[in-house]
Amino acid sequence: MEKKLYTLLVFSENIAGILNQITAVFTRRQVNIESLNVSASSIKGVHKYTITAWSDEDQIRKITKQIEKKIDVVKANYYTDDQLFIQEVALYKLSTDKVMENPEISRTIRRLDARVLEVNPTYMAVMLGGLTEDITNLYYQLDEFGCLLQYTRSGRIAVTRSVVESVSEFLEEQERNANGTNG
């Protein structure tokens, strides 16, 4: 089967140890996590895990089902990139001397709409938000110029293209069932 990048959106209660339980599912199936971001969600008391991994659909479906079985997990779904709005952020620390020596570096930063955060005699800090491809493209270009001192990028953040998150519909259904109304 063909491997491609999948994004899992996992919603859970804010319980200590749940991240370890979720990542253990990937470890047991020998699937490497490409990126991981954890934050509060739009629902009070519920945290959102955005996890990316290269896998085939059968394997990612099994991983998602195993994660969803965890007691503190509210809902888990997997998505392909076309089903999501996706962003990442990267920080690049550059040698000020090298940037000053080569005007092409500044042009490259401007052309890719990166934002200069600080310039001092030693280094220049630059930030770029966008798709993974944009971020890695700037990284490789800056690396070729030999000006890169440090680099880091965030994990992916994502929201679905649907109007509401699937966890909202799930929680509403649970509420209806708890109140004895099925409609």
Side-chain angles (χ1 to χ4, degrees):
M1 288 200 136
E2 181 186 346
K3 286 190 175 191
K4 61 184 183 180
L5 189 65
Y6 286 94
T7 300
L8 278 76
L9 299 182
V10 179
F11 296 87
S12 79
E13 297 177 42
N14 187 15
I15 305 292
I18 190 69
L19 178 58
N20 188 41
Q21 291 178 43
I22 291 169
T23 57
V25 173
F26 286 88
T27 303
R28 279 194 302 277
R29 294 212 171 253
Q30 298 183 335
V31 174
N32 190 43
I33 292 174
E34 189 73 20
S35 74
L36 170 68
N37 182 288
V38 182
S39 66
S41 74
S42 58
I43 300 162
K44 186 177 179 180
V46 176
H47 272 61
K48 181 178 184 176
Y49 300 77
T50 306
I51 306 166
T52 60
W54 288 93
S55 184
D56 60 66
E57 189 171 9
D58 184 52
Q59 179 87 303
I60 211 73
R61 185 182 309 112
K62 290 175 183 173
I63 288 170
T64 304
K65 284 181 180 178
Q66 279 189 302
I67 290 171
E68 209 165 34
K69 287 180 183 176
K70 302 293 178 195
I71 191 97
D72 298 317
V73 170
V74 177
K75 188 78 177 143
N77 286 309
Y78 66 92
Y79 301 90
T80 54
D81 286 1
D82 60 326
Q83 298 170 305
L84 301 167
F85 291 107
I86 301 163
Q87 286 286 289
E88 287 187 20
V89 175
L91 294 173
Y92 309 83
K93 189 173 179 182
L94 314 176
S95 163
T96 301
D97 288 343
K98 299 230 176 176
V99 172
M100 299 305 280
E101 289 169 11
N102 185 347
E104 188 57 34
I105 298 171
S106 292
R107 283 193 282 278
T108 300
I109 291 167
R110 284 192 307 275
R111 187 172 54 249
L112 294 173
D113 290 327
R115 190 170 132 217
V116 175
L117 302 175
E118 180 179 333
V119 178
N120 66 41
T122 310
Y123 65 84
M124 174 182 202
V126 175
M127 179 178 77
L128 177 63
L131 300 174
T132 307
E133 298 79 31
D134 301 330
I135 286 168
T136 55
N137 180 33
L138 180 57
Y139 167 80
Y140 289 123
Q141 289 184 50
L142 293 173
D143 193 44
E144 281 183 29
F145 288 125
C147 63
L148 202 54
L149 301 173
Q150 293 180 31
Y151 162 76
T152 190
R153 71 178 222 238
S154 69
R156 174 179 280 195
I157 56 171
V159 293
T160 64
R161 291 186 178 269
S162 64
V163 178
V164 294
E165 295 200 77
S166 60
V167 72
S168 300
E169 293 169 343
F170 174 79
L171 291 172
E172 287 170 11
E173 183 180 321
Q174 294 290 68
E175 180 85 17
R176 282 192 305 270
N177 291 341
N179 292 330
T181 57
N182 291 332

